[in-house]
Amino acid sequence: MEVNIGVIGYGYWGPNLVRNFSETAGFQVVAISDLDEQRLSVAKTRYPAIEVTTDFKTLLSDPNIDTVAIATPVSTHFDLALNALKAGKHVFIEKPLTETAEQAEQLIAEAEKRNLVLHVDHTFIYTGAVRKIRELVDKGDLGELYYYDSVRVNLGLFQSDVSVLWDLAVHDLSIMDYIFPLAPTAVSATGSSHVEGRPANIAFLSLFFENNAIAHLHVNWLAPVKVRRTLIGGSRKMVVYDDLEPSEKIKIYDKGITLNGNKEKLYKALIDYRAGDMWAPRLEISEALRVEAQQFMRCIVEGEKSPSDGKAGMRVVRILEAATRSLNERGQPVELN
Ligand SMILES: NC(=O)c1ccc[n+]([C@@H]2O[C@H](COP(=O)([O-])OP(=O)(O)OC[C@H]3O[C@@H](n4cnc5c(N)ncnc54)[C@H](O)[C@@H]3O)[C@@H](O)[C@H]2O)c1
């Protein structure tokens, strides 16, 4: 089956969607829309056969287009996606799904009502590295998950419509949504803006879980070096995930502690340290967006459930909303339910 797709937004990320859909069996990119004529002429030079338009409605009214991919600024996501669903198109939409959880709910309801696929581009969960971590968690190799501790900083593109939480922390939240068996129960965030009138460009976010698991995310657009490093601690093994490593992105350490001795008098128990081997598993090296495009195709054609469907998108937006509230109240924890 051939799925004809139209892409809205050909700025920084849109070209990656066009390239990957063009190269994925079954998809045919037939149209691109961007408000910026210059971006459209770049698209036309690269893909002369693809129609281009400044009016996204042209894509929505085209009966030949089954599916729409949206790669525009976050503040435009809700309107564009709602219009696309109402026009009967399946939707592939950039992270974060929407600006509010309420909007996300509306999109989910609209997609369900019309039996359409709503898929959110939580790119990282389609990487070989994150899929391997999920496999380790599922098999119980890491044991009980104790913490997720991540640093995601660089001299990044300052966004004007969203804070660094919505741009960078969203990646960690989507990874955690995919690998953690439990959802967080509360969130606390602090952060600051160093450009007047702009949203926070540095933020620290803590997430609390019922079973004492904890997560900390440190995100920053104003860092002199690029770091993409996550430590995941479990009762049996620990993982270091460094996305900037060219091949050995994941290292698994057989390290940890065991309590030794007196169960009745726990305060007397000794902590024994375990320091075993470290290994770096072989990872699937396909581009995440390619794996994701294939997944999206299976959702459309075979009715498979997407691991980053509207509900996953909404869970992430709910945390981002709560974190934003907390940030505005200098870290006051906000309960999630
Ligand atoms: N998955 C990822 O790893 C990843 C990476 C970067 C960006 N993104 C996401 O992609 C989205 C876009 O980010 P970007 O960095 O490419 O932004 P960008 O500003 O570079 O590009 C957005 C483009 O959308 C166009 N646009 C805006 N409104 C439009 C409309 N109504 N119709 C047609 N075109 C319209 C703009 O002209 C612009 O060219 C954001 O949601 C962002 O979070 C995701």
Side-chain angles (χ1 to χ4, degrees):
M1 182 180 157
E2 192 85 333
V3 174
N4 288 339
I5 186 162
V7 178
I8 307 179
Y10 197 75
Y12 164 67
W13 196 248
N16 292 326
L17 301 188
V18 173
R19 176 172 54 78
N20 276 284
F21 283 123
S22 302
E23 292 171 8
T24 300
F27 280 115
Q28 182 81 33
V29 182
V30 294
I32 297 173
S33 168
D34 199 294
L35 297 176
D36 183 344
E37 297 270 10
Q38 272 184 345
R39 295 306 304 157
L40 291 181
S41 71
V42 172
K44 198 70 193 168
T45 310
R46 286 181 190 154
Y47 306 96
I50 297 179
E51 292 296 324
V52 297
T53 170
T54 51
D55 186 2
F56 74 92
K57 292 202 180 91
T58 316
L59 271 62
L60 302 192
S61 58
D62 184 345
N64 191 32
I65 292 179
D66 321 284
T67 295
V68 162
I70 299 169
T72 55
V74 185
S75 53
T76 66
H77 285 185
F78 175 68
D79 273 347
L80 291 173
L82 189 65
N83 276 300
L85 291 167
K86 284 189 166 163
K89 317 291 184 199
H90 300 293
V91 168
F92 180 106
I93 186 163
E94 270 316 313
K95 58 77 191 168
L97 173 56
T98 47
E99 290 179 299
T100 68
E102 204 189 319
Q103 291 175 339
E105 258 173 54
Q106 274 191 61
L107 295 183
I108 293 166
E110 197 64 38
E112 275 175 4
K113 189 170 88 185
R114 295 169 189 275
N115 213 7
L116 293 167
V117 178
L118 173 61
H119 172 103
V120 187
D121 181 12
H122 285 172
T123 319
F124 275 92
I125 73 165
Y126 299 95
T127 59
V130 173
R131 285 188 296 149
K132 176 56 80 178
I133 297 172
R134 159 93 185 234
E135 187 189 311
L136 294 167
V137 172
D138 282 355
K139 282 198 305 192
D141 286 5
L142 303 188
E144 189 189 338
L145 289 185
Y146 287 163
Y147 63 81
Y148 179 104
D149 184 3
S150 155
V151 181
R152 192 177 291 278
V153 305
N154 61 307
L155 200 56
L157 267 181
F158 276 62
Q159 311 276 333
S160 52
D161 61 339
V162 290
S163 78
V164 68
L165 284 174
W166 294 73
D167 184 47
L168 294 183
V170 62
H171 288 307
D172 291 294
L173 295 175
S174 63
I175 294 171
M176 289 177 55
D177 183 72
Y178 185 60
I179 64 174
F180 263 64
L182 291 176
T185 54
V187 58
S188 157
T190 51
S192 199
S193 165
H194 301 100
V195 183
E196 219 184 309
R198 291 288 187 105
N201 52 268
I202 179 168
F204 308 97
L205 193 155
S206 302
L207 293 153
F208 307 94
F209 295 77
E210 241 162 37
N211 60 353
N212 286 341
I214 190 161
H216 186 259
L217 320 179
H218 164 189
V219 288
N220 186 359
W221 284 324
L222 194 52
V225 291
K226 182 166 181 172
V227 183
R228 296 285 186 268
R229 204 155 205 258
T230 306
L231 309 185
I232 300 168
S235 55
R236 298 173 64 141
K237 303 247 170 23
M238 302 198 243
V239 171
V240 177
Y241 164 30
D242 188 338
D243 197 48
L244 301 186
E245 281 279 334
S247 58
E248 293 168 359
K249 290 182 189 295
I250 286 190
K251 296 198 174 86
I252 302 162
Y253 290 82
D254 183 11
K255 285 191 179 185
I257 53 164
T258 37
L259 283 185
N260 198 355
N262 206 325
K263 278 228 162 83
E264 288 76 49
K265 294 187 178 157
L266 257 181
Y267 63 93
K268 277 195 169 171
L270 295 173
I271 288 181
D272 276 344
Y273 293 87
R274 196 180 67 252
D277 292 339
M278 179 278 284
W279 74 99
R282 195 185 63 80
L283 301 178
E284 179 66 55
I285 51 166
S286 313
E287 187 176 348
L289 274 178
R290 190 66 50 86
V291 176
E292 192 173 353
Q294 289 159 351
Q295 169 72 65
F296 185 47
M297 175 61 80
R298 291 196 300 278
C299 294
I300 294 171
V301 176
E302 294 162 29
E304 225 180 76
K305 182 177 154 5
S306 161
S308 55
D309 60 2
K311 286 186 180 146
M314 181 174 72
R315 289 194 292 272
V316 167
V317 169
R318 199 167 263 157
I319 299 172
L320 287 170
E321 258 189 313
T324 304
R325 262 172 57 207
S326 173
L327 191 146
N328 293 336
E329 292 162 25
R330 283 187 146 196
Q332 193 71 35
V334 174
E335 298 293 324
L336 297 155
N337 45 35

